[in-house]
Amino acid sequence: FMAAEQLLKGDYFIENDDTTEEEYVLKREIETLMDNARYSDEYRQLAEIDDLKEKGRVAECSQAVDEMFNRWRSDYMKYTS
């Protein structure tokens, strides 16, 4: 959740001087996950969807979002049943 929130804000570095060593390690791991996320297939697909939206290709954007959501839902169902 924290990684998603930081990506959404565009704030990739988590800084706080009042953290314990355990919190610091966890925050660094989150930053590593965020950095690596940019190289994932899903991140690229989301960037392509955003590009469609920016170009005003609403129908294609909506279809791509639906496909991605359905894939996520299917994966969720597969791993939770």
Side-chain angles (χ1 to χ4, degrees):
F1 172 75
M2 290 172 57
E5 184 177 35
Q6 295 302 315
L7 281 171
L8 180 64
K9 291 179 183 177
D11 181 16
Y12 302 117
F13 297 99
I14 304 168
E15 298 295 331
N16 185 348
D17 294 332
D18 299 331
T19 60
T20 65
E21 183 176 341
E22 184 178 323
E23 290 173 322
Y24 177 80
V25 169
L26 180 60
K27 289 177 183 183
R28 294 297 159 215
E29 287 177 21
I30 290 170
E31 287 176 356
T32 300
L33 288 172
M34 289 171 20
D35 288 340
N36 291 339
R38 292 185 202 121
Y39 302 106
S40 73
D41 290 337
E42 284 190 348
Y43 189 90
R44 280 191 285 273
Q45 290 169 351
L46 288 169
E48 290 171 6
I49 289 171
D50 188 52
D51 188 48
L52 290 172
K53 184 181 88 174
E54 292 295 321
K55 291 179 179 177
R57 297 165 61 182
V58 178
E60 292 174 64
C61 176
S62 179
Q63 180 181 358
V65 168
D66 288 344
E67 289 171 2
M68 181 169 269
F69 177 75
N70 288 332
R71 192 170 46 253
W72 287 349
R73 182 176 46 201
S74 176
D75 288 346
Y76 175 79
M77 298 292 275
K78 179 172 55 175
Y79 292 116
T80 58
S81 45

